[in-house]
Coordinates of all heavy atoms in Angstrom, one line a residue:
Y1 N -26.8 -3.1 66.1 CA -26.5 -4.4 66.6 C -27.6 -5.4 66.1 O -27.3 -6.6 66.0 CB -26.5 -4.4 68.1 CG -25.4 -3.6 68.7 CD1 -25.7 -2.3 69.2 CD2 -24.1 -4.0 68.6 CE1 -24.6 -1.5 69.7 CE2 -23.1 -3.2 69.1 CZ -23.3 -2.0 69.7 OH -22.3 -1.2 70.2
F2 N -28.7 -4.9 65.9 CA -29.8 -5.8 65.5 C -29.8 -6.1 64.0 O -30.5 -7.0 63.5 CB -31.2 -5.2 65.8 CG -31.3 -5.0 67.3 CD1 -31.3 -3.7 67.8 CD2 -31.5 -6.0 68.2 CE1 -31.5 -3.5 69.2 CE2 -31.6 -5.8 69.5 CZ -31.6 -4.5 70.0
S3 N -29.0 -5.4 63.2 CA -29.0 -5.5 61.8 C -28.6 -6.9 61.3 O -28.9 -7.3 60.2 CB -28.0 -4.5 61.1 OG -26.7 -4.7 61.6
R4 N -28.0 -7.7 62.1 CA -27.6 -9.1 61.8 C -28.7 -10.1 62.0 O -28.7 -11.2 61.6 CB -26.4 -9.5 62.6 CG -25.2 -8.7 62.3 CD -24.0 -9.2 63.1 NE -22.9 -8.3 62.9 CZ -21.9 -8.1 63.8 NH1 -21.9 -8.8 64.9 NH2 -21.0 -7.3 63.6
M5 N -29.8 -9.7 62.7 CA -30.9 -10.5 63.0 C -32.0 -10.4 62.0 O -33.1 -10.0 62.2 CB -31.5 -10.2 64.4 CG -30.5 -10.3 65.5 SD -31.2 -9.8 67.1 CE -29.7 -9.8 68.1
L6 N -31.7 -10.9 60.8 CA -32.6 -10.7 59.6 C -33.9 -11.3 59.8 O -34.9 -10.9 59.1 CB -31.9 -11.2 58.4 CG -30.5 -10.5 58.1 CD1 -29.9 -11.1 56.8 CD2 -30.8 -9.0 57.9
N7 N -34.1 -12.4 60.6 CA -35.4 -13.1 60.7 C -36.1 -12.6 61.9 O -37.2 -13.2 62.3 CB -35.1 -14.6 60.8 CG -34.6 -15.1 59.4 OD1 -35.0 -14.7 58.4 ND2 -33.6 -16.0 59.5
L8 N -35.6 -11.6 62.6 CA -36.3 -11.1 63.8 C -37.7 -10.5 63.5 O -37.8 -9.7 62.7 CB -35.4 -10.0 64.5 CG -35.9 -9.4 65.8 CD1 -35.8 -10.5 66.9 CD2 -35.0 -8.2 66.2
E9 N -38.7 -11.1 64.2 CA -40.1 -10.6 64.0 C -40.6 -9.7 65.1 O -41.4 -8.8 64.9 CB -41.0 -11.8 63.8 CG -40.7 -12.6 62.6 CD -41.7 -13.8 62.4 OE1 -42.6 -13.9 63.2 OE2 -41.5 -14.5 61.4
K10 N -40.1 -9.9 66.3 CA -40.5 -9.1 67.4 C -39.3 -8.7 68.3 O -38.5 -9.5 68.6 CB -41.5 -9.8 68.3 CG -42.0 -9.0 69.5 CD -43.0 -9.7 70.4 CE -43.5 -8.8 71.5 NZ -44.5 -9.5 72.3
L11 N -39.2 -7.4 68.5 CA -38.1 -6.8 69.3 C -38.8 -6.3 70.6 O -39.5 -5.3 70.5 CB -37.4 -5.8 68.5 CG -36.3 -5.0 69.2 CD1 -35.2 -6.0 69.7 CD2 -35.7 -4.0 68.3
D12 N -38.5 -6.9 71.7 CA -39.1 -6.5 72.9 C -38.0 -6.0 73.9 O -37.2 -6.7 74.4 CB -39.8 -7.7 73.6 CG -40.6 -7.3 74.9 OD1 -40.4 -6.2 75.4 OD2 -41.5 -8.0 75.3
L13 N -38.0 -4.7 74.0 CA -37.0 -4.0 74.8 C -37.6 -3.4 76.1 O -37.0 -2.6 76.8 CB -36.4 -2.8 74.0 CG -35.7 -3.3 72.7 CD1 -35.3 -2.0 71.9 CD2 -34.4 -4.1 73.0
A14 N -38.8 -3.9 76.4 CA -39.5 -3.4 77.6 C -38.8 -3.4 78.9 O -39.0 -2.6 79.8 CB -40.9 -4.1 77.7
Q15 N -37.9 -4.4 79.1 CA -37.2 -4.6 80.3 C -35.9 -3.9 80.4 O -35.1 -4.2 81.3 CB -37.1 -6.1 80.6 CG -38.4 -6.8 80.8 CD -39.3 -6.3 81.8 OE1 -38.9 -6.1 83.0 NE2 -40.6 -6.0 81.5
T16 N -35.6 -3.1 79.4 CA -34.3 -2.4 79.3 C -34.5 -0.9 79.8 O -35.6 -0.5 80.0 CB -33.8 -2.4 77.9 OG1 -34.6 -1.5 77.1 CG2 -33.7 -3.8 77.3
A17 N -33.4 -0.2 80.0 CA -33.4 1.2 80.4 C -32.9 2.1 79.3 O -32.4 3.2 79.6 CB -32.7 1.3 81.7
I18 N -33.0 1.6 78.1 CA -32.4 2.5 77.0 C -33.2 3.7 76.8 O -34.4 3.8 77.2 CB -32.3 1.7 75.7 CG1 -33.8 1.3 75.2 CG2 -31.4 0.5 75.8 CD1 -33.8 0.7 73.8
T19 N -32.6 4.8 76.3 CA -33.3 6.1 76.1 C -33.4 6.4 74.6 O -34.2 7.3 74.3 CB -32.7 7.2 76.9 OG1 -31.3 7.3 76.5 CG2 -32.7 7.0 78.4
T20 N -32.6 5.8 73.8 CA -32.5 6.1 72.4 C -32.5 4.8 71.6 O -31.8 3.9 72.0 CB -31.3 6.9 72.0 OG1 -31.3 8.1 72.8 CG2 -31.2 7.3 70.6
V21 N -33.2 4.8 70.5 CA -33.3 3.6 69.6 C -32.6 4.0 68.3 O -32.9 5.0 67.7 CB -34.7 3.2 69.4 CG1 -34.8 2.0 68.4 CG2 -35.4 2.8 70.7
A22 N -31.8 3.1 67.8 CA -31.1 3.2 66.5 C -30.6 1.8 66.1 O -30.6 0.9 66.8 CB -29.9 4.1 66.7
G23 N -30.3 1.7 64.8 CA -29.7 0.5 64.3 C -30.6 -0.7 64.0 O -30.1 -1.8 64.0
C24 N -31.9 -0.5 63.8 CA -32.8 -1.6 63.5 C -33.1 -1.6 62.0 O -33.9 -2.3 61.6 CB -34.0 -1.5 64.3 SG -33.8 -1.6 66.1
N25 N -32.5 -0.7 61.2 CA -32.8 -0.6 59.8 C -32.5 -1.8 59.1 O -31.6 -2.6 59.4 CB -32.1 0.6 59.2 CG -30.6 0.6 59.4 OD1 -30.2 0.3 60.5 ND2 -29.9 1.0 58.4
G26 N -33.3 -2.1 58.1 CA -33.1 -3.3 57.2 C -33.7 -4.6 57.7 O -33.5 -5.6 57.1
L27 N -34.4 -4.6 58.8 CA -35.0 -5.8 59.4 C -36.3 -6.0 58.7 O -37.4 -5.6 59.3 CB -35.1 -5.7 60.9 CG -33.8 -5.5 61.7 CD1 -34.0 -5.4 63.1 CD2 -32.8 -6.7 61.4
T28 N -36.3 -6.6 57.6 CA -37.6 -6.7 56.8 C -38.6 -7.6 57.4 O -39.8 -7.6 57.0 CB -37.2 -7.1 55.3 OG1 -36.5 -8.3 55.3 CG2 -36.4 -6.0 54.6
S29 N -38.2 -8.5 58.3 CA -39.2 -9.4 58.9 C -39.7 -8.8 60.2 O -40.7 -9.4 60.8 CB -38.5 -10.7 59.3 OG -38.1 -11.4 58.1
L30 N -39.2 -7.7 60.7 CA -39.6 -7.1 62.0 C -41.1 -6.6 61.9 O -41.4 -5.8 61.0 CB -38.7 -6.0 62.3 CG -38.9 -5.4 63.7 CD1 -38.7 -6.4 64.8 CD2 -38.0 -4.2 63.9
Q31 N -41.9 -7.1 62.7 CA -43.3 -6.8 62.7 C -43.7 -6.0 63.9 O -44.6 -5.1 63.8 CB -44.2 -8.0 62.7 CG -44.0 -8.9 61.5 CD -44.7 -10.2 61.6 OE1 -45.6 -10.4 62.4 NE2 -44.4 -11.1 60.7
T32 N -43.2 -6.2 65.1 CA -43.6 -5.6 66.3 C -42.3 -5.1 67.1 O -41.4 -5.9 67.2 CB -44.4 -6.6 67.2 OG1 -45.5 -7.1 66.5 CG2 -44.8 -5.9 68.5
V33 N -42.5 -3.9 67.7 CA -41.4 -3.4 68.5 C -42.1 -2.9 69.8 O -43.0 -2.2 69.8 CB -40.7 -2.2 67.9 CG1 -39.6 -1.6 68.8 CG2 -40.0 -2.6 66.6
V34 N -41.5 -3.4 70.9 CA -42.0 -3.0 72.3 C -40.9 -2.2 72.9 O -39.8 -2.7 73.2 CB -42.4 -4.2 73.1 CG1 -42.9 -3.8 74.5 CG2 -43.4 -5.1 72.4
L35 N -41.2 -0.9 73.1 CA -40.2 0.0 73.7 C -40.5 0.2 75.2 O -41.6 0.2 75.6 CB -40.2 1.3 73.0 CG -39.8 1.3 71.5 CD1 -40.0 2.6 70.9 CD2 -38.4 0.8 71.3
P36 N -39.4 0.4 76.0 CA -39.6 0.7 77.4 C -40.1 2.2 77.5 O -39.9 3.0 76.6 CB -38.2 0.5 78.0 CG -37.3 0.8 76.9 CD -38.0 0.3 75.7
E37 N -40.6 2.6 78.6 CA -41.0 3.9 78.9 C -39.9 4.9 78.9 O -40.0 6.1 78.7 CB -41.8 4.0 80.2 CG -43.2 3.3 80.1 CD -44.0 3.5 81.4 OE1 -43.7 4.4 82.2 OE2 -45.0 2.7 81.5
S38 N -38.7 4.4 79.1 CA -37.5 5.2 79.2 C -37.1 5.8 77.8 O -36.3 6.8 77.8 CB -36.3 4.4 79.8 OG -36.0 3.3 79.0
V39 N -37.5 5.2 76.7 CA -37.1 5.7 75.4 C -37.8 7.1 75.1 O -39.0 7.2 75.2 CB -37.5 4.7 74.3 CG1 -37.3 5.3 72.9 CG2 -36.7 3.5 74.4
I40 N -36.9 8.0 74.8 CA -37.4 9.4 74.5 C -37.0 9.8 73.1 O -37.5 10.8 72.6 CB -37.0 10.4 75.5 CG1 -35.5 10.5 75.6 CG2 -37.7 10.1 76.9 CD1 -35.0 11.6 76.4
A41 N -36.1 9.1 72.4 CA -35.6 9.5 71.1 C -35.4 8.3 70.2 O -35.0 7.2 70.6 CB -34.3 10.2 71.3
I42 N -35.7 8.5 68.9 CA -35.5 7.5 67.9 C -34.6 8.2 66.8 O -35.0 9.2 66.3 CB -36.8 7.0 67.3 CG1 -37.6 6.3 68.3 CG2 -36.5 6.1 66.1 CD1 -39.0 5.8 67.8
E43 N -33.5 7.6 66.6 CA -32.5 8.1 65.6 C -33.1 8.0 64.2 O -33.9 7.2 63.9 CB -31.2 7.4 65.7 CG -30.5 7.5 67.0 CD -29.9 8.9 67.2 OE1 -29.5 9.6 66.2 OE2 -29.9 9.4 68.3
D44 N -32.6 8.9 63.3 CA -32.9 8.9 61.9 C -32.7 7.5 61.3 O -31.7 6.9 61.6 CB -32.1 9.9 61.1 CG -32.6 11.3 61.1 OD1 -33.7 11.5 61.6 OD2 -31.8 12.2 60.7
E45 N -33.6 7.0 60.6 CA -33.6 5.8 59.9 C -33.4 4.6 60.8 O -33.0 3.5 60.3 CB -32.5 5.8 58.8 CG -32.7 6.9 57.8 CD -31.7 6.9 56.7 OE1 -30.9 5.9 56.5 OE2 -31.6 7.9 55.9
A46 N -33.8 4.7 62.0 CA -33.7 3.6 63.0 C -34.5 2.4 62.5 O -34.1 1.2 62.7 CB -34.2 4.0 64.3
F47 N -35.6 2.6 61.8 CA -36.5 1.5 61.3 C -36.6 1.6 59.8 O -37.6 1.1 59.2 CB -37.8 1.5 62.0 CG -37.7 1.3 63.5 CD1 -37.9 2.3 64.4 CD2 -37.5 0.0 64.0 CE1 -37.8 2.1 65.7 CE2 -37.4 -0.2 65.3 CZ -37.5 0.9 66.2
N48 N -35.7 2.2 59.1 CA -35.7 2.3 57.7 C -35.7 0.9 57.1 O -34.9 0.0 57.5 CB -34.5 3.1 57.2 CG -34.5 3.4 55.7 OD1 -35.6 3.8 55.2 ND2 -33.4 3.3 55.0
S49 N -36.5 0.7 56.1 CA -36.6 -0.6 55.3 C -37.2 -1.7 56.2 O -37.1 -2.9 55.8 CB -35.3 -1.0 54.7 OG -34.8 -0.1 53.8
C50 N -37.8 -1.4 57.3 CA -38.5 -2.4 58.1 C -40.0 -2.5 57.5 O -40.9 -2.0 58.1 CB -38.6 -2.0 59.6 SG -36.9 -2.0 60.3
T51 N -40.1 -3.1 56.4 CA -41.3 -3.1 55.6 C -42.4 -3.8 56.2 O -43.6 -3.6 55.8 CB -41.0 -3.6 54.2 OG1 -40.4 -4.9 54.3 CG2 -40.1 -2.7 53.4
S52 N -42.2 -4.7 57.1 CA -43.2 -5.5 57.8 C -43.7 -4.9 59.1 O -44.6 -5.4 59.7 CB -42.8 -6.9 58.0 OG -42.5 -7.6 56.8
L53 N -43.0 -3.8 59.6 CA -43.3 -3.3 60.9 C -44.7 -2.7 60.9 O -45.1 -1.9 60.1 CB -42.3 -2.1 61.2 CG -42.4 -1.5 62.6 CD1 -42.2 -2.6 63.7 CD2 -41.4 -0.4 62.7
S54 N -45.5 -3.3 61.8 CA -46.9 -2.9 61.9 C -47.4 -2.4 63.3 O -48.5 -1.9 63.5 CB -47.9 -4.0 61.4 OG -47.7 -5.1 62.3
S55 N -46.5 -2.6 64.3 CA -46.8 -2.2 65.7 C -45.6 -1.7 66.4 O -44.7 -2.4 66.6 CB -47.4 -3.5 66.4 OG -47.7 -3.1 67.7
I56 N -45.8 -0.4 66.8 CA -44.8 0.2 67.7 C -45.4 1.3 68.4 O -46.2 2.1 67.9 CB -43.6 0.7 66.9 CG1 -42.5 1.3 67.8 CG2 -44.0 1.7 65.8 CD1 -41.2 1.6 67.1
N57 N -45.2 1.4 69.7 CA -45.8 2.4 70.6 C -44.8 3.6 70.7 O -43.7 3.4 71.2 CB -46.1 1.9 72.0 CG -46.8 2.9 72.8 OD1 -46.9 4.1 72.5 ND2 -47.3 2.5 74.0
L58 N -45.2 4.7 70.2 CA -44.3 5.9 70.2 C -44.8 7.0 71.2 O -44.4 8.1 71.1 CB -44.3 6.5 68.8 CG -43.7 5.6 67.7 CD1 -43.8 6.3 66.3 CD2 -42.3 5.2 68.0
S59 N -45.7 6.6 72.1 CA -46.3 7.6 73.0 C -45.3 8.3 73.9 O -45.6 9.5 74.3 CB -47.4 6.9 73.8 OG -46.8 5.9 74.7
N60 N -44.2 7.8 74.2 CA -43.2 8.5 75.1 C -42.2 9.2 74.4 O -41.3 9.9 75.0 CB -42.5 7.4 76.0 CG -43.5 6.8 77.0 OD1 -44.4 7.5 77.4 ND2 -43.3 5.6 77.4
I61 N -42.2 9.2 73.0 CA -41.1 9.8 72.2 C -41.3 11.3 72.3 O -42.3 11.8 71.9 CB -41.1 9.3 70.8 CG1 -41.0 7.7 70.8 CG2 -40.0 9.9 70.0 CD1 -39.8 7.1 71.5
T62 N -40.2 12.0 72.6 CA -40.2 13.4 72.7 C -39.2 14.0 71.6 O -39.3 15.2 71.4 CB -39.8 14.0 74.1 OG1 -38.5 13.5 74.4 CG2 -40.9 13.6 75.1
L63 N -38.3 13.2 71.1 CA -37.3 13.7 70.1 C -37.1 12.7 69.0 O -36.8 11.5 69.3 CB -36.0 13.9 70.9 CG -34.8 14.3 70.1 CD1 -35.0 15.7 69.5 CD2 -33.6 14.3 70.9
L64 N -37.3 13.1 67.8 CA -36.9 12.3 66.6 C -35.7 13.0 66.1 O -35.7 14.1 65.6 CB -38.1 12.3 65.6 CG -39.3 11.6 66.1 CD1 -40.4 11.7 65.0 CD2 -39.1 10.1 66.4
S65 N -34.6 12.3 66.2 CA -33.3 12.9 65.8 C -33.2 13.0 64.3 O -33.7 12.3 63.5 CB -32.1 12.0 66.3 OG -32.2 11.9 67.7
H66 N -32.5 14.1 63.9 CA -32.2 14.3 62.4 C -30.8 14.3 62.1 O -29.9 14.7 62.8 CB -32.8 15.6 62.0 CG -34.3 15.6 62.1 ND1 -35.1 15.0 61.2 CD2 -35.1 16.3 63.0 CE1 -36.4 15.2 61.6 NE2 -36.4 16.0 62.6

């Protein structure tokens, strides 16, 4: 869903209850991602080609999908 937001620089999902992240690939302007504590999985290539991404907290991630 985020793939259309080409100029998105910060994605703050902290107030959501999502458990899996996917579909952010290709966001070349994305610099920061804030995930809620509920996220435990990141799908393959979720942040593929996010060449500007410099900040993301992965401390709660227990599963990286393949």
Side-chain angles (χ1 to χ4, degrees):
Y1 299 103
F2 300 108
S3 63
R4 297 181 188 155
M5 300 177 187
L6 299 177
N7 295 318
L8 185 66
E9 293 182 3
K10 181 177 182 178
L11 178 60
D12 187 343
L13 301 170
Q15 300 301 311
T16 70
I18 62 172
T19 58
T20 303
V21 176
C24 297
N25 54 317
L27 300 178
T28 57
S29 297
L30 186 62
Q31 298 173 14
T32 304
V33 176
V34 180
L35 300 174
E37 291 183 17
S38 59
V39 171
I40 57 169
I42 296 179
E43 295 290 326
D44 277 351
E45 301 184 14
F47 296 103
N48 189 42
S49 298
C50 294
T51 55
S52 297
L53 186 59
S54 61
S55 177
I56 184 170
N57 183 350
L58 301 175
S59 62
N60 292 328
I61 305 304
T62 58
L63 175 66
L64 295 176
S65 300
H66 294 288

